[in-house]
Amino acid sequence: METKAIRVFLFALLLIAAPFLQVARGESDSEVDTSETVEESSDLGIVGEDVQDFGDGNFSPAPGVDTICVFPKNSAKSVTAGEETELLVGLKNDGESSLNVIAIKASVHLPFDHNLLVQNLTAQAFNNGSVPASAQATFPYIFAVSKFLQPGTFDLVGTVYYEIDQQPYQSTFYNGTIEVVEAGAFLSIESVFLVTLGFALLVLLGLWIHGQIQHLSKKTKRAPKVEVGTRATDASMDEWLQGTAYTQSLNKSSKKKK
């Protein structure tokens, strides 16, 4: 009876968890479609009419130019899916000529393999981003990851493009992890499923412990009572009373009965 109840409970648990698994699969399919769409439209962005488009060119960093990146009021580097996030890019020009910042762009990759591109983010152009020699400046960069992106840890690679004496250069200002979180949700689908699964396991453990306790209690009730030492005690008492007035009276009474 107990085994049948556990089987029924497991079947009910699978029925409850099935919708969550289907929703998670649907979101994963949407994520793949969105990634493909973003890759096709990677050239879109805030680009001025008179701004040079470097495309996917790979340039070297200029000597004497240092970069730094700061997430203002966001030390955890948490990015909400579908909402805008701001970061600040600082440039320090220790060279002999002024530099002109052309654009800032970034991309999201899987943390274990940067060759697997998740999303190309919008490029932000600057029409008047000059940094004189022996000076430093800060440029804001606002981006938003896809609202269909699954919450988790990803790698963000940010690049700033600039010119010095009409020679193009690029520097990577950030190459690290960000934490993508779901917008307006305290619990993700995975969290709900894990909580449900944990609760089910606790219930099964409680049923198993209850069954073991009942089994042990039945064994204890069925155990026979054993009397030890009764006959040995009677024999020793007869030997001890042998020859006394008590045994003589018993012998007389037995003779009278005969």
Side-chain angles (χ1 to χ4, degrees), residues 208-234:
W208 182 80
I209 293 175
H210 180 69
Q212 293 297 320
I213 293 175
Q214 286 187 339
H215 185 65
L216 292 175
S217 62
K218 288 180 180 179
K219 279 188 175 181
T220 304
K221 291 180 180 179
R222 292 176 181 176
K225 295 182 179 180
V226 180
E227 296 181 358
V228 181
T230 304
R231 295 181 179 179
T233 304
D234 293 341

Side-chain angles (χ1 to χ4, degrees), residues 13 15 36 77 81 84 101 112 193 198 207 210 216 224-225 227 246 251:
L13 176 64
L15 290 178
E36 293 176 355
K77 299 173 184 177
E84 291 184 344
V101 176
F112 54 84
F193 177 73
L207 291 175
H210 180 69
L216 292 175
K225 295 182 179 180
E227 296 181 358
Y246 176 75
N251 292 331

Side-chain angles (χ1 to χ4, degrees), residues 14 26 42 61 69 102 111 126 138 141 167 173 186 215 243 253 257:
L14 291 176
S42 59
C69 174
I102 303 299
F126 298 90
T138 302
Y141 176 60
Q167 180 68 30
F173 60 84
F186 295 99
H215 185 65
S253 59
K257 288 180 179 179

